[in-house]
Amino acid sequence: MSRKLYFTAGPSALYFTAEEHLKNALREQIPSLSHRSIDFQNIYRKAAGNLRELLGIPEDYYVLFLSSGTEAWERLLQNCVTERSCHMVNGAFSQRFAETAQALQIKTEIFNAQPGSCSKPEELILPDNTEFIALTHNETSTGAMQPAGDIAAIRKAFPDTLLAVDVVSSAPYLTFPVSLVDSLFFSVQKGFGLPAGLGVWVVNERCLRKTEQKQDEGFSIGSYHSLPNLVAHSVKYQTPETPNVLDVYLLAQVTEDMNLKGIGQIKQETNYKAAVLYQAIEQCNYLQPFVRNKECQSKTTIVAELQKDMDHKRLLDYLAGKNMEVSTGYGEYKNQHIRIANFPTHSKEQIEMLADALLAYP
Ligand SMILES: *Cc1c(COP(=O)(O)O)cnc(C)c1O
């Protein structure tokens, strides 16, 4: 039987070179390496260096390892907010970022946008002393991606507020310079096409200073994964705990492959494949893009709404019969949407095959 094509939003298909790197990792006994060895330090250094090149991360930002995107929400809030955070919410993931703040007893200011749309920067009105703005670049539950100029507009309007951006389901496809934000984070099982269990947290000095200030004021900033502890280890290319050494190795390898291809080429292909999918969705009489405003349509996770009363399961079974798996709708949209990942590992041919299958659905 031929292999299944995973167009799922996360975990998704492995990056097409991952299997080879995984075999090499086992041959080289990477999982047995001490995380205090020079070999591991070299792997960390390589992964961080490749990520800097791929994403354009400035030298004065730290590249830190966590266990997941979910952990990054908590670490950011625990370290960089004392009293009040502001959240732009337009779906389930941005909502959970806000709920994480509430669970940590942080007061939240929430700016809601309709599911399937994006918050408008000009509607963001904040008190001068707001500490932190949380934005989700690509809301995976609805397929809405914040338009390119918005992050610059927010930065301009609130130069003194920490700005943290969730790029879990868009990276490595960023549409803004990293230097515009104070922090961003992602996990590797989405756009990087790797096994789950590793998160990447990018932070600047401003975040670190805020954490130190919070600590000096007598507040808790957590323990082993506090920002100062992560930073102190990262300058030696180490982590506080025994990390997912295998995944850090795979990330170093896969980002090298992506850099060889070039981020420009990756973005161009992503745009092309997204256009193919949206065009197919527009042409199918039983589907339409859930995000109507083209400016907000995600290039990396494409969400299509099914015609009312349509048999959701029949469509998924039809695709499964062709060895293709897409994600169901998220939460309340489970039976009303399909979600399609368009990550760097998904080839033009694979995306065209999926588009053709959607068009041919009987
Ligand atoms: C998947 C996802 C997360 C959670 O990441 P995990 O690695 O699963 O914890 C957070 N934000 C967005 C936008 C996501 O798509």
Side-chain angles (χ1 to χ4, degrees), residues 28 35 99:
E28 293 171 26
H35 57 296
E99 286 167 2

Side-chain angles (χ1 to χ4, degrees), residues 159-214:
D160 300 325
T161 305
L162 292 180
L163 175 57
V165 182
D166 175 335
V167 296
V168 176
S169 61
S170 50
Y173 184 98
L174 302 186
T175 55
F176 57 92
V178 174
S179 59
L180 279 181
V181 305
D182 297 292
S183 177
L184 54 76
F185 58 90
F186 55 89
S187 39
V188 300
Q189 76 277 13
K190 297 187 182 178
F192 289 87
L194 292 175
L198 181 68
V200 176
W201 184 17
V202 175
V203 280
N204 67 6
E205 285 288 343
R206 282 219 302 185
C207 290
L208 183 59
R209 280 201 300 275
K210 173 73 187 182
T211 307
E212 287 164 353
Q213 186 193 335
K214 181 174 176 180

Side-chain angles (χ1 to χ4, degrees), residues 68-71 73 93 136 138 140 166 168-169 187 189-190:
S68 65
T70 300
E71 188 188 354
W73 288 332
F93 287 95
T136 301
N138 188 67
T140 322
D166 175 335
V168 176
S169 61
S187 39
Q189 76 277 13
K190 297 187 182 178

Side-chain angles (χ1 to χ4, degrees), residues 249-261:
Y249 170 85
L250 294 174
L251 182 63
Q253 299 304 119
V254 155
T255 47
E256 179 170 288
D257 297 335
M258 289 180 174
N259 280 329
L260 280 174
K261 182 165 198 167

Side-chain angles (χ1 to χ4, degrees), residues 6 16 58 60 115 130 133 158 180 221 251 303 316 339:
Y6 283 96
F16 63 93
D60 56 347
T130 305
I133 301 172
F158 306 100
L180 279 181
I221 54 168
L251 182 63
V303 178
L316 295 180
R339 295 178 302 139

Side-chain angles (χ1 to χ4, degrees), residues 88-92 94 111 113-119 136 139 141-142 144 146:
M88 297 172 81
V89 173
N90 60 344
S94 42
F111 289 84
Q114 283 301 316
S117 69
C118 292
S119 318
T136 301
E139 178 45 80
S141 68
T142 65
Q146 201 73 36

Side-chain angles (χ1 to χ4, degrees), residues 7-12 140 169 189-191 301 326-327 339-341 343:
F7 296 103
T8 40
S12 194
T140 322
S169 61
Q189 76 277 13
K190 297 187 182 178
T301 60
V326 299
S327 288
R339 295 178 302 139
I340 302 167
F343 294 148

